[in-house]
Amino acid sequence: MSDPPKYILEGLEKQSPETLRKIAQIATEMADNKERQLETELEEQEIADRPTDLDRDDAPSSATLTTKEINGNRYYYWQWREGEQIKSEYIRPVDPKR
């Protein structure tokens, strides 16, 4: 993590403890919002990157497409629940060239 810009630190030094606590609260809320936004963008990108050539007929009706990383390589799996167990079925590598 990088240090805050000098102009921000200089401005903060001039604030009262009450104001600093309020600024800290606002900064925490802003950081949380940015993290949620980034997670949403990553999820949307992952959905957009999913292959369109996979045949849903080959998967159980409740299965969802998941990506697993094993030894630095990523693979597609169908994943679903049967009772208390989570089942997975290998599909293919994310990058078919590997």
Side-chain angles (χ1 to χ4, degrees):
M1 178 178 7
S2 62
D3 291 334
K6 186 177 178 180
Y7 72 92
I8 290 177
L9 294 175
E10 289 172 351
L12 290 174
E13 288 174 355
K14 299 174 187 175
Q15 305 305 313
S16 69
E18 181 179 299
T19 300
L20 287 171
R21 285 187 183 90
K22 184 63 178 174
I23 291 169
Q25 177 186 356
I26 292 168
T28 299
E29 290 170 3
M30 289 175 74
D32 291 346
N33 287 336
K34 285 185 178 263
E35 285 175 346
R36 279 193 296 277
Q37 181 181 5
L38 179 59
E39 287 172 3
T40 299
E41 290 172 3
L42 290 173
E43 288 171 3
E44 289 172 354
Q45 185 61 46
E46 186 176 299
I47 290 170
D49 290 345
R50 287 184 177 174
T52 56
D53 62 337
L54 296 179
D55 189 0
R56 282 280 308 160
D57 294 336
D58 293 340
S61 61
S62 61
T64 57
L65 183 65
T66 60
T67 304
K68 294 183 182 183
E69 185 167 329
I70 302 170
N71 297 329
N73 297 307
R74 297 177 63 214
Y75 303 94
Y76 288 120
Y77 283 80
W78 290 120
Q79 195 168 51
W80 67 97
R81 181 178 290 279
E82 286 183 8
E84 295 296 316
Q85 288 189 323
I86 296 177
K87 302 281 187 162
S88 294
E89 181 181 323
Y90 171 79
I91 303 171
R92 66 174 168 86
V94 170
D95 181 2
K97 298 172 189 164
R98 293 188 107 183

